[in-house]
Amino acid sequence: MIYLNLVNELICALCWGITIRLILIRHLNSETKVARFNTFAFVLMVVNLVVVLPIFAFLLKNLSIQSVSWLSSLVVATIDALSTFNLILFCIFSCCTRLQKCPTTVQDFLVLGAAVKHGQVPPVLATRLDKAINCWKTHQSAKIIVSGGNSTESKRI
């Protein structure tokens, strides 16, 4: 049982480590790569929900409550369940915001910037700009304001 607990915690850590890397470190230059990485992160979370969390439930039920393995299983399972729930809520919120229509009255659009490396616009910024342009087509009297700038210059000010 102790080895099952350690292996399960390792699988949990790998699933979350890779998922966090996929979310935070975006060096993707095409929508197909973004879709592939998002699909991979989704598969890791399904593995987490279908394999890791049920094994934690099994371990918590069958290990002695006074053991260190039970306590570590409880801590990791709690963090894992809360993190997975939060990621699911984030994905739902993200999908809902992408489906939102343009507001009926608009004065200006503010597009938040994102790091542009080697002259290439990252998919996050491209999506924001596309959304602003699509809304601007409906409200052409509005201005589009793009934020951001060179971070080395802003440090000197």
Side-chain angles (χ1 to χ4, degrees):
M1 288 283 208
I2 293 172
Y3 293 118
L4 178 61
N5 183 32
L6 291 174
V7 168
N8 198 46
E9 288 178 2
L10 178 65
I11 293 170
C12 177
L14 283 173
C15 283
W16 271 104
I18 294 169
T19 301
I20 289 169
R21 184 178 188 285
L22 291 173
I23 292 170
L24 295 179
I25 303 172
R26 296 284 184 144
H27 299 291
L28 308 172
N29 53 9
S30 71
E31 286 296 320
T32 55
K33 285 185 179 181
V34 171
R36 190 173 70 226
F37 276 77
N38 287 344
T39 302
F40 187 52
F42 176 76
V43 168
L44 288 172
M45 287 300 101
V46 168
V47 167
N48 186 39
L49 286 171
V50 175
V51 176
V52 175
L53 284 173
I55 291 175
F56 277 132
F58 171 79
L59 289 167
L60 290 171
K61 183 179 176 187
N62 293 313
L63 286 172
S64 170
I65 292 179
Q66 287 81 19
S67 71
V68 173
S69 292
W70 186 87
L71 185 60
S72 71
S73 288
L74 179 65
V75 169
V76 174
T78 303
I79 292 169
D80 186 25
L82 290 172
S83 301
T84 302
F85 178 70
N86 284 330
L87 184 64
I88 290 168
L89 286 178
F90 173 76
C91 290
I92 291 169
F93 175 76
S94 178
C95 289
C96 289
T97 56
R98 286 181 186 219
L99 296 174
Q100 284 181 342
K101 304 278 186 210
C102 294
T104 54
T105 58
V106 175
Q107 292 177 348
D108 296 317
F109 296 100
L110 174 63
V111 180
L112 301 177
V116 176
K117 294 184 181 177
H118 308 295
Q120 292 195 350
V121 176
V124 171
L125 182 56
T127 302
R128 292 174 187 167
L129 291 168
D130 289 341
K131 182 75 172 181
I133 290 169
N134 286 338
C135 287
W136 178 80
K137 289 177 183 175
T138 308
H139 307 284
Q140 291 188 4
S141 63
K143 297 176 190 165
I144 297 178
I145 303 165
V146 181
S147 70
N150 190 339
S151 60
T152 56
E153 287 179 13
S154 62
K155 290 179 185 176
R156 286 189 225 145
I157 294 176

